mmCIF file of all heavy atoms in Angstrom:
data_model
loop_
_atom_site.group_PDB
_atom_site.id
_atom_site.type_symbol
_atom_site.label_atom_id
_atom_site.label_comp_id
_atom_site.label_asym_id
_atom_site.label_seq_id
_atom_site.Cartn_x
_atom_site.Cartn_y
_atom_site.Cartn_z
ATOM 1 N N GLU A 1 5.343 -28.210 -5.783
ATOM 2 C CA GLU A 1 6.141 -27.115 -5.241
ATOM 3 C C GLU A 1 5.681 -25.774 -5.801
ATOM 4 O O GLU A 1 5.683 -24.757 -5.092
ATOM 5 C CB GLU A 1 7.622 -27.348 -5.557
ATOM 6 C CG GLU A 1 8.222 -28.516 -4.795
ATOM 7 C CD GLU A 1 9.674 -28.775 -5.153
ATOM 8 O OE1 GLU A 1 10.189 -28.088 -6.071
ATOM 9 O OE2 GLU A 1 10.302 -29.647 -4.517
ATOM 10 N N GLN A 2 5.289 -25.762 -7.081
ATOM 11 C CA GLN A 2 4.772 -24.533 -7.680
ATOM 12 C C GLN A 2 3.487 -24.099 -6.991
ATOM 13 O O GLN A 2 3.312 -22.920 -6.643
ATOM 14 C CB GLN A 2 4.494 -24.746 -9.165
ATOM 15 C CG GLN A 2 3.826 -23.532 -9.829
ATOM 16 C CD GLN A 2 3.224 -23.853 -11.176
ATOM 17 O OE1 GLN A 2 3.887 -24.390 -12.027
ATOM 18 N NE2 GLN A 2 1.956 -23.529 -11.368
ATOM 19 N N GLU A 3 2.579 -25.037 -6.777
ATOM 20 C CA GLU A 3 1.309 -24.716 -6.130
ATOM 21 C C GLU A 3 1.529 -24.203 -4.714
ATOM 22 O O GLU A 3 0.886 -23.238 -4.280
ATOM 23 C CB GLU A 3 0.408 -25.951 -6.116
ATOM 24 C CG GLU A 3 -0.108 -26.337 -7.498
ATOM 25 C CD GLU A 3 -0.881 -27.645 -7.477
ATOM 26 O OE1 GLU A 3 -1.061 -28.212 -6.370
ATOM 27 O OE2 GLU A 3 -1.305 -28.099 -8.550
ATOM 28 N N LEU A 4 2.459 -24.836 -3.994
ATOM 29 C CA LEU A 4 2.762 -24.408 -2.632
ATOM 30 C C LEU A 4 3.335 -22.992 -2.624
ATOM 31 O O LEU A 4 2.946 -22.155 -1.798
ATOM 32 C CB LEU A 4 3.764 -25.378 -2.002
ATOM 33 C CG LEU A 4 4.174 -25.078 -0.554
ATOM 34 C CD1 LEU A 4 2.954 -25.175 0.360
ATOM 35 C CD2 LEU A 4 5.248 -26.059 -0.092
ATOM 36 N N ALA A 5 4.244 -22.725 -3.546
ATOM 37 C CA ALA A 5 4.863 -21.397 -3.619
ATOM 38 C C ALA A 5 3.841 -20.323 -3.961
ATOM 39 O O ALA A 5 3.850 -19.225 -3.383
ATOM 40 C CB ALA A 5 5.987 -21.399 -4.659
ATOM 41 N N PHE A 6 2.931 -20.615 -4.890
ATOM 42 C CA PHE A 6 1.922 -19.630 -5.268
ATOM 43 C C PHE A 6 0.887 -19.441 -4.163
ATOM 44 O O PHE A 6 0.383 -18.333 -3.968
ATOM 45 C CB PHE A 6 1.248 -20.022 -6.582
ATOM 46 C CG PHE A 6 1.904 -19.420 -7.792
ATOM 47 C CD1 PHE A 6 2.876 -20.105 -8.495
ATOM 48 C CD2 PHE A 6 1.574 -18.140 -8.204
ATOM 49 C CE1 PHE A 6 3.509 -19.532 -9.595
ATOM 50 C CE2 PHE A 6 2.190 -17.556 -9.304
ATOM 51 C CZ PHE A 6 3.161 -18.258 -10.002
ATOM 52 N N ASP A 7 0.575 -20.509 -3.436
ATOM 53 C CA ASP A 7 -0.349 -20.367 -2.306
ATOM 54 C C ASP A 7 0.267 -19.463 -1.235
ATOM 55 O O ASP A 7 -0.410 -18.591 -0.677
ATOM 56 C CB ASP A 7 -0.669 -21.743 -1.699
ATOM 57 C CG ASP A 7 -1.601 -22.562 -2.575
ATOM 58 O OD1 ASP A 7 -2.201 -21.979 -3.504
ATOM 59 O OD2 ASP A 7 -1.711 -23.775 -2.342
ATOM 60 N N GLU A 8 1.541 -19.688 -0.955
ATOM 61 C CA GLU A 8 2.246 -18.880 0.047
ATOM 62 C C GLU A 8 2.328 -17.427 -0.401
ATOM 63 O O GLU A 8 2.096 -16.501 0.396
ATOM 64 C CB GLU A 8 3.650 -19.449 0.260
ATOM 65 C CG GLU A 8 4.425 -18.793 1.385
ATOM 66 C CD GLU A 8 5.796 -19.404 1.597
ATOM 67 O OE1 GLU A 8 6.206 -20.258 0.777
ATOM 68 O OE2 GLU A 8 6.472 -19.034 2.579
ATOM 69 N N TYR A 9 2.623 -17.232 -1.667
ATOM 70 C CA TYR A 9 2.719 -15.879 -2.215
ATOM 71 C C TYR A 9 1.369 -15.175 -2.194
ATOM 72 O O TYR A 9 1.261 -14.006 -1.792
ATOM 73 C CB TYR A 9 3.263 -15.931 -3.642
ATOM 74 C CG TYR A 9 2.949 -14.714 -4.471
ATOM 75 C CD1 TYR A 9 3.549 -13.486 -4.211
ATOM 76 C CD2 TYR A 9 2.001 -14.778 -5.500
ATOM 77 C CE1 TYR A 9 3.233 -12.362 -4.964
ATOM 78 C CE2 TYR A 9 1.688 -13.670 -6.246
ATOM 79 C CZ TYR A 9 2.298 -12.466 -5.980
ATOM 80 O OH TYR A 9 1.971 -11.356 -6.715
ATOM 81 N N THR A 10 0.314 -15.882 -2.613
ATOM 82 C CA THR A 10 -1.023 -15.277 -2.679
ATOM 83 C C THR A 10 -1.513 -14.853 -1.298
ATOM 84 O O THR A 10 -2.085 -13.771 -1.127
ATOM 85 C CB THR A 10 -2.024 -16.267 -3.308
ATOM 86 O OG1 THR A 10 -1.586 -16.592 -4.632
ATOM 87 C CG2 THR A 10 -3.410 -15.656 -3.399
ATOM 88 N N LEU A 11 -1.297 -15.723 -0.310
ATOM 89 C CA LEU A 11 -1.697 -15.388 1.062
ATOM 90 C C LEU A 11 -0.953 -14.161 1.558
ATOM 91 O O LEU A 11 -1.549 -13.236 2.128
ATOM 92 C CB LEU A 11 -1.429 -16.579 1.989
ATOM 93 C CG LEU A 11 -1.754 -16.362 3.472
ATOM 94 C CD1 LEU A 11 -3.239 -16.052 3.645
ATOM 95 C CD2 LEU A 11 -1.367 -17.590 4.289
ATOM 96 N N ALA A 12 0.358 -14.141 1.332
ATOM 97 C CA ALA A 12 1.170 -12.996 1.754
ATOM 98 C C ALA A 12 0.745 -11.733 1.009
ATOM 99 O O ALA A 12 0.677 -10.646 1.602
ATOM 100 C CB ALA A 12 2.651 -13.285 1.517
ATOM 101 N N LYS A 13 0.451 -11.873 -0.278
ATOM 102 C CA LYS A 13 0.062 -10.721 -1.101
ATOM 103 C C LYS A 13 -1.195 -10.051 -0.547
ATOM 104 O O LYS A 13 -1.258 -8.829 -0.415
ATOM 105 C CB LYS A 13 -0.169 -11.183 -2.538
ATOM 106 C CG LYS A 13 -0.679 -10.099 -3.494
ATOM 107 C CD LYS A 13 -0.711 -10.660 -4.908
ATOM 108 C CE LYS A 13 -1.394 -9.713 -5.884
ATOM 109 N NZ LYS A 13 -2.850 -9.708 -5.728
ATOM 110 N N ASP A 14 -2.189 -10.863 -0.213
ATOM 111 C CA ASP A 14 -3.433 -10.295 0.323
ATOM 112 C C ASP A 14 -3.177 -9.568 1.634
ATOM 113 O O ASP A 14 -3.669 -8.448 1.846
ATOM 114 C CB ASP A 14 -4.468 -11.411 0.543
ATOM 115 C CG ASP A 14 -4.974 -12.003 -0.768
ATOM 116 O OD1 ASP A 14 -4.834 -11.331 -1.810
ATOM 117 O OD2 ASP A 14 -5.507 -13.131 -0.748
ATOM 118 N N ASN A 15 -2.396 -10.187 2.511
ATOM 119 C CA ASN A 15 -2.110 -9.577 3.812
ATOM 120 C C ASN A 15 -1.300 -8.294 3.678
ATOM 121 O O ASN A 15 -1.609 -7.275 4.317
ATOM 122 C CB ASN A 15 -1.359 -10.571 4.711
ATOM 123 C CG ASN A 15 -2.223 -11.754 5.116
ATOM 124 O OD1 ASN A 15 -3.444 -11.650 5.147
ATOM 125 N ND2 ASN A 15 -1.592 -12.877 5.425
ATOM 126 N N VAL A 16 -0.278 -8.340 2.828
ATOM 127 C CA VAL A 16 0.600 -7.171 2.658
ATOM 128 C C VAL A 16 -0.148 -6.016 1.986
ATOM 129 O O VAL A 16 -0.011 -4.856 2.393
ATOM 130 C CB VAL A 16 1.857 -7.547 1.842
ATOM 131 C CG1 VAL A 16 2.646 -6.301 1.452
ATOM 132 C CG2 VAL A 16 2.739 -8.497 2.640
ATOM 133 N N GLN A 17 -0.944 -6.312 0.990
ATOM 134 C CA GLN A 17 -1.681 -5.241 0.313
ATOM 135 C C GLN A 17 -2.715 -4.603 1.237
ATOM 136 O O GLN A 17 -2.896 -3.381 1.210
ATOM 137 C CB GLN A 17 -2.341 -5.776 -0.956
ATOM 138 C CG GLN A 17 -1.336 -6.040 -2.078
ATOM 139 C CD GLN A 17 -1.992 -6.360 -3.404
ATOM 140 O OE1 GLN A 17 -2.993 -7.076 -3.453
ATOM 141 N NE2 GLN A 17 -1.430 -5.846 -4.484
ATOM 142 N N ASN A 18 -3.375 -5.405 2.041
ATOM 143 C CA ASN A 18 -4.337 -4.847 3.005
ATOM 144 C C ASN A 18 -3.630 -3.953 4.009
ATOM 145 O O ASN A 18 -4.115 -2.868 4.351
ATOM 146 C CB ASN A 18 -5.074 -5.973 3.739
ATOM 147 C CG ASN A 18 -6.066 -6.701 2.841
ATOM 148 O OD1 ASN A 18 -6.535 -6.147 1.850
ATOM 149 N ND2 ASN A 18 -6.390 -7.937 3.186
ATOM 150 N N MET A 19 -2.479 -4.416 4.484
ATOM 151 C CA MET A 19 -1.679 -3.645 5.428
ATOM 152 C C MET A 19 -1.226 -2.325 4.808
ATOM 153 O O MET A 19 -1.376 -1.253 5.405
ATOM 154 C CB MET A 19 -0.469 -4.481 5.838
ATOM 155 C CG MET A 19 0.605 -3.755 6.624
ATOM 156 S SD MET A 19 2.137 -4.729 6.642
ATOM 157 C CE MET A 19 2.660 -4.519 4.923
ATOM 158 N N PHE A 20 -0.700 -2.408 3.578
ATOM 159 C CA PHE A 20 -0.199 -1.206 2.915
ATOM 160 C C PHE A 20 -1.329 -0.229 2.613
ATOM 161 O O PHE A 20 -1.178 0.989 2.796
ATOM 162 C CB PHE A 20 0.508 -1.582 1.611
ATOM 163 C CG PHE A 20 0.935 -0.392 0.799
ATOM 164 C CD1 PHE A 20 2.085 0.305 1.126
ATOM 165 C CD2 PHE A 20 0.174 0.052 -0.275
ATOM 166 C CE1 PHE A 20 2.481 1.422 0.388
ATOM 167 C CE2 PHE A 20 0.559 1.154 -1.007
ATOM 168 C CZ PHE A 20 1.716 1.843 -0.685
ATOM 169 N N ASN A 21 -2.457 -0.725 2.144
ATOM 170 C CA ASN A 21 -3.587 0.154 1.800
ATOM 171 C C ASN A 21 -4.073 0.931 3.023
ATOM 172 O O ASN A 21 -4.463 2.106 2.911
ATOM 173 C CB ASN A 21 -4.734 -0.653 1.197
ATOM 174 C CG ASN A 21 -4.407 -1.153 -0.192
ATOM 175 O OD1 ASN A 21 -3.551 -0.600 -0.875
ATOM 176 N ND2 ASN A 21 -5.079 -2.214 -0.630
ATOM 177 N N LYS A 22 -4.055 0.282 4.174
ATOM 178 C CA LYS A 22 -4.454 0.963 5.406
ATOM 179 C C LYS A 22 -3.485 2.099 5.718
ATOM 180 O O LYS A 22 -3.898 3.234 6.022
ATOM 181 C CB LYS A 22 -4.483 -0.041 6.562
ATOM 182 C CG LYS A 22 -4.805 0.581 7.912
ATOM 183 C CD LYS A 22 -4.758 -0.476 9.010
ATOM 184 C CE LYS A 22 -4.971 0.152 10.374
ATOM 185 N NZ LYS A 22 -4.888 -0.855 11.474
ATOM 186 N N THR A 23 -2.187 1.815 5.621
ATOM 187 C CA THR A 23 -1.172 2.832 5.889
ATOM 188 C C THR A 23 -1.256 3.967 4.865
ATOM 189 O O THR A 23 -1.128 5.147 5.214
ATOM 190 C CB THR A 23 0.234 2.208 5.862
ATOM 191 O OG1 THR A 23 0.335 1.262 6.925
ATOM 192 C CG2 THR A 23 1.315 3.260 6.013
ATOM 193 N N LEU A 24 -1.490 3.621 3.613
ATOM 194 C CA LEU A 24 -1.589 4.633 2.556
ATOM 195 C C LEU A 24 -2.762 5.569 2.812
ATOM 196 O O LEU A 24 -2.634 6.805 2.688
ATOM 197 C CB LEU A 24 -1.755 3.948 1.196
ATOM 198 C CG LEU A 24 -1.900 4.874 -0.016
ATOM 199 C CD1 LEU A 24 -0.654 5.745 -0.174
ATOM 200 C CD2 LEU A 24 -2.154 4.054 -1.285
ATOM 201 N N LYS A 25 -3.902 5.013 3.189
ATOM 202 C CA LYS A 25 -5.084 5.847 3.462
ATOM 203 C C LYS A 25 -4.837 6.787 4.640
ATOM 204 O O LYS A 25 -5.199 7.973 4.590
ATOM 205 C CB LYS A 25 -6.289 4.958 3.745
ATOM 206 C CG LYS A 25 -6.825 4.234 2.520
ATOM 207 C CD LYS A 25 -7.995 3.319 2.886
ATOM 208 C CE LYS A 25 -8.511 2.572 1.653
ATOM 209 N NZ LYS A 25 -9.623 1.648 2.006
ATOM 210 N N LEU A 26 -4.228 6.259 5.703
ATOM 211 C CA LEU A 26 -3.953 7.093 6.875
ATOM 212 C C LEU A 26 -2.903 8.154 6.565
ATOM 213 O O LEU A 26 -2.968 9.279 7.092
ATOM 214 C CB LEU A 26 -3.484 6.209 8.037
ATOM 215 C CG LEU A 26 -4.566 5.306 8.645
ATOM 216 C CD1 LEU A 26 -3.956 4.358 9.663
ATOM 217 C CD2 LEU A 26 -5.661 6.159 9.296
ATOM 218 N N THR A 27 -1.930 7.802 5.711
ATOM 219 C CA THR A 27 -0.912 8.783 5.302
ATOM 220 C C THR A 27 -1.542 9.908 4.499
ATOM 221 O O THR A 27 -1.238 11.094 4.710
ATOM 222 C CB THR A 27 0.183 8.085 4.474
ATOM 223 O OG1 THR A 27 0.808 7.081 5.267
ATOM 224 C CG2 THR A 27 1.233 9.088 4.010
ATOM 225 N N LYS A 28 -2.411 9.568 3.576
ATOM 226 C CA LYS A 28 -3.099 10.589 2.781
ATOM 227 C C LYS A 28 -3.976 11.462 3.664
ATOM 228 O O LYS A 28 -4.016 12.696 3.510
ATOM 229 C CB LYS A 28 -3.952 9.923 1.702
ATOM 230 C CG LYS A 28 -3.160 9.337 0.543
ATOM 231 C CD LYS A 28 -4.088 8.736 -0.514
ATOM 232 C CE LYS A 28 -3.314 8.235 -1.717
ATOM 233 N NZ LYS A 28 -4.210 7.647 -2.752
ATOM 234 N N LEU A 29 -4.685 10.817 4.600
ATOM 235 C CA LEU A 29 -5.571 11.566 5.492
ATOM 236 C C LEU A 29 -4.778 12.539 6.360
ATOM 237 O O LEU A 29 -5.160 13.714 6.517
ATOM 238 C CB LEU A 29 -6.351 10.580 6.384
ATOM 239 C CG LEU A 29 -7.284 11.201 7.418
ATOM 240 C CD1 LEU A 29 -8.412 11.966 6.712
ATOM 241 C CD2 LEU A 29 -7.865 10.126 8.333
ATOM 242 N N SER A 30 -3.655 12.082 6.892
ATOM 243 C CA SER A 30 -2.860 12.902 7.811
ATOM 244 C C SER A 30 -2.100 14.023 7.104
ATOM 245 O O SER A 30 -1.689 14.996 7.746
ATOM 246 C CB SER A 30 -1.872 12.013 8.574
ATOM 247 O OG SER A 30 -2.559 11.042 9.332
ATOM 248 N N SER A 31 -1.911 13.881 5.782
ATOM 249 C CA SER A 31 -1.136 14.897 5.046
ATOM 250 C C SER A 31 -2.007 15.739 4.121
ATOM 251 O O SER A 31 -1.474 16.535 3.339
ATOM 252 C CB SER A 31 -0.047 14.205 4.217
ATOM 253 O OG SER A 31 -0.640 13.354 3.242
ATOM 254 N N ARG A 32 -3.298 15.599 4.225
ATOM 255 C CA ARG A 32 -4.185 16.234 3.244
ATOM 256 C C ARG A 32 -4.116 17.757 3.255
ATOM 257 O O ARG A 32 -4.425 18.411 2.248
ATOM 258 C CB ARG A 32 -5.625 15.776 3.466
ATOM 259 C CG ARG A 32 -6.313 16.354 4.678
ATOM 260 C CD ARG A 32 -7.683 15.715 4.890
ATOM 261 N NE ARG A 32 -8.477 16.408 5.885
ATOM 262 C CZ ARG A 32 -8.299 16.291 7.195
ATOM 263 N NH1 ARG A 32 -7.335 15.507 7.652
ATOM 264 N NH2 ARG A 32 -9.064 16.960 8.046
ATOM 265 N N LYS A 33 -3.696 18.347 4.360
ATOM 266 C CA LYS A 33 -3.623 19.808 4.442
ATOM 267 C C LYS A 33 -2.240 20.351 4.078
ATOM 268 O O LYS A 33 -1.990 21.545 4.204
ATOM 269 C CB LYS A 33 -3.995 20.258 5.858
ATOM 270 C CG LYS A 33 -5.444 19.972 6.217
ATOM 271 C CD LYS A 33 -5.784 20.460 7.614
ATOM 272 C CE LYS A 33 -7.247 20.172 7.948
ATOM 273 N NZ LYS A 33 -7.604 20.631 9.316
ATOM 274 N N ASP A 34 -1.362 19.463 3.644
ATOM 275 C CA ASP A 34 0.002 19.874 3.294
ATOM 276 C C ASP A 34 0.317 19.393 1.877
ATOM 277 O O ASP A 34 0.925 18.329 1.695
ATOM 278 C CB ASP A 34 0.997 19.290 4.298
ATOM 279 C CG ASP A 34 2.402 19.867 4.130
ATOM 280 O OD1 ASP A 34 2.698 20.399 3.037
ATOM 281 O OD2 ASP A 34 3.218 19.735 5.062
ATOM 282 N N PRO A 35 -0.085 20.145 0.850
ATOM 283 C CA PRO A 35 0.140 19.744 -0.551
ATOM 284 C C PRO A 35 1.601 19.484 -0.882
ATOM 285 O O PRO A 35 1.911 18.564 -1.647
ATOM 286 C CB PRO A 35 -0.402 20.933 -1.347
ATOM 287 C CG PRO A 35 -1.375 21.589 -0.421
ATOM 288 C CD PRO A 35 -0.790 21.428 0.948
ATOM 289 N N ASP A 36 2.488 20.280 -0.295
ATOM 290 C CA ASP A 36 3.913 20.082 -0.575
ATOM 291 C C ASP A 36 4.381 18.713 -0.066
ATOM 292 O O ASP A 36 5.146 18.015 -0.742
ATOM 293 C CB ASP A 36 4.743 21.190 0.089
ATOM 294 C CG ASP A 36 4.537 22.537 -0.587
ATOM 295 O OD1 ASP A 36 4.128 22.532 -1.770
ATOM 296 O OD2 ASP A 36 4.777 23.565 0.057
ATOM 297 N N LEU A 37 3.920 18.358 1.126
ATOM 298 C CA LEU A 37 4.271 17.060 1.692
ATOM 299 C C LEU A 37 3.712 15.929 0.828
ATOM 300 O O LEU A 37 4.408 14.957 0.536
ATOM 301 C CB LEU A 37 3.737 16.928 3.123
ATOM 302 C CG LEU A 37 3.922 15.561 3.788
ATOM 303 C CD1 LEU A 37 5.403 15.205 3.887
ATOM 304 C CD2 LEU A 37 3.267 15.553 5.178
ATOM 305 N N GLN A 38 2.487 16.109 0.397
ATOM 306 C CA GLN A 38 1.878 15.085 -0.454
ATOM 307 C C GLN A 38 2.636 14.945 -1.772
ATOM 308 O O GLN A 38 2.783 13.835 -2.294
ATOM 309 C CB GLN A 38 0.409 15.410 -0.711
ATOM 310 C CG GLN A 38 -0.481 15.181 0.499
ATOM 311 C CD GLN A 38 -1.921 14.895 0.119
ATOM 312 O OE1 GLN A 38 -2.411 15.373 -0.903
ATOM 313 N NE2 GLN A 38 -2.596 14.101 0.941
ATOM 314 N N ASN A 39 3.126 16.046 -2.277
ATOM 315 C CA ASN A 39 3.928 15.990 -3.507
ATOM 316 C C ASN A 39 5.242 15.261 -3.271
ATOM 317 O O ASN A 39 5.683 14.461 -4.113
ATOM 318 C CB ASN A 39 4.204 17.400 -4.031
ATOM 319 C CG ASN A 39 2.980 18.008 -4.708
ATOM 320 O OD1 ASN A 39 2.110 17.294 -5.203
ATOM 321 N ND2 ASN A 39 2.911 19.336 -4.725
ATOM 322 N N ARG A 40 5.889 15.570 -2.126
ATOM 323 C CA ARG A 40 7.160 14.901 -1.829
ATOM 324 C C ARG A 40 6.956 13.396 -1.652
ATOM 325 O O ARG A 40 7.792 12.583 -2.034
ATOM 326 C CB ARG A 40 7.793 15.493 -0.559
ATOM 327 C CG ARG A 40 8.292 16.920 -0.705
ATOM 328 C CD ARG A 40 9.284 17.294 0.393
ATOM 329 N NE ARG A 40 8.730 17.162 1.731
ATOM 330 C CZ ARG A 40 8.003 18.100 2.355
ATOM 331 N NH1 ARG A 40 7.731 19.256 1.734
ATOM 332 N NH2 ARG A 40 7.558 17.905 3.578
ATOM 333 N N LEU A 41 5.820 13.050 -1.068
ATOM 334 C CA LEU A 41 5.509 11.631 -0.865
ATOM 335 C C LEU A 41 4.905 10.984 -2.110
ATOM 336 O O LEU A 41 4.692 9.774 -2.148
ATOM 337 C CB LEU A 41 4.534 11.459 0.314
ATOM 338 C CG LEU A 41 5.083 11.830 1.697
ATOM 339 C CD1 LEU A 41 3.965 11.733 2.742
ATOM 340 C CD2 LEU A 41 6.239 10.915 2.086
ATOM 341 N N LYS A 42 4.628 11.854 -3.115
ATOM 342 C CA LYS A 42 4.021 11.395 -4.378
ATOM 343 C C LYS A 42 2.711 10.642 -4.140
ATOM 344 O O LYS A 42 2.441 9.591 -4.734
ATOM 345 C CB LYS A 42 5.007 10.508 -5.158
ATOM 346 C CG LYS A 42 6.292 11.218 -5.540
ATOM 347 C CD LYS A 42 7.152 10.384 -6.474
ATOM 348 C CE LYS A 42 8.480 11.064 -6.784
ATOM 349 N NZ LYS A 42 8.319 12.375 -7.416
ATOM 350 N N LEU A 43 1.892 11.210 -3.279
ATOM 351 C CA LEU A 43 0.622 10.579 -2.949
ATOM 352 C C LEU A 43 -0.445 10.830 -4.000
ATOM 353 O O LEU A 43 -1.495 10.183 -3.990
ATOM 354 C CB LEU A 43 0.127 11.077 -1.580
ATOM 355 C CG LEU A 43 1.011 10.725 -0.388
ATOM 356 C CD1 LEU A 43 0.454 11.334 0.891
ATOM 357 C CD2 LEU A 43 1.132 9.207 -0.235
ATOM 358 N N THR A 44 -0.186 11.769 -4.885
ATOM 359 C CA THR A 44 -1.196 12.099 -5.895
ATOM 360 C C THR A 44 -0.991 11.343 -7.203
ATOM 361 O O THR A 44 -1.817 11.440 -8.109
ATOM 362 C CB THR A 44 -1.169 13.615 -6.184
ATOM 363 O OG1 THR A 44 0.133 13.989 -6.650
ATOM 364 C CG2 THR A 44 -1.500 14.411 -4.936
ATOM 365 N N THR A 45 0.097 10.583 -7.290
ATOM 366 C CA THR A 45 0.384 9.889 -8.552
ATOM 367 C C THR A 45 -0.278 8.521 -8.641
ATOM 368 O O THR A 45 -0.335 7.924 -9.705
ATOM 369 C CB THR A 45 1.910 9.713 -8.722
ATOM 370 O OG1 THR A 45 2.422 8.979 -7.605
ATOM 371 C CG2 THR A 45 2.603 11.078 -8.786
ATOM 372 N N GLY A 46 -0.781 8.038 -7.521
ATOM 373 C CA GLY A 46 -1.440 6.731 -7.544
ATOM 374 C C GLY A 46 -0.435 5.595 -7.429
ATOM 375 O O GLY A 46 0.773 5.770 -7.586
ATOM 376 N N ILE A 47 -0.975 4.407 -7.156
ATOM 377 C CA ILE A 47 -0.156 3.208 -6.996
ATOM 378 C C ILE A 47 -0.441 2.248 -8.152
ATOM 379 O O ILE A 47 -1.598 2.005 -8.494
ATOM 380 C CB ILE A 47 -0.456 2.503 -5.651
ATOM 381 C CG1 ILE A 47 -0.163 3.442 -4.478
ATOM 382 C CG2 ILE A 47 0.348 1.221 -5.514
ATOM 383 C CD1 ILE A 47 1.300 3.794 -4.309
#
């Protein structure tokens, strides 16, 4: 059961992180000319 749970978690983790990283990059790209917006979104603090 532990192995099954970790396999399920690991698969989901890879998919979710890839999905989030894509959104994060597009968010940074779309807000790059608005420093105030980037500050509000805390895009400069890193993940």
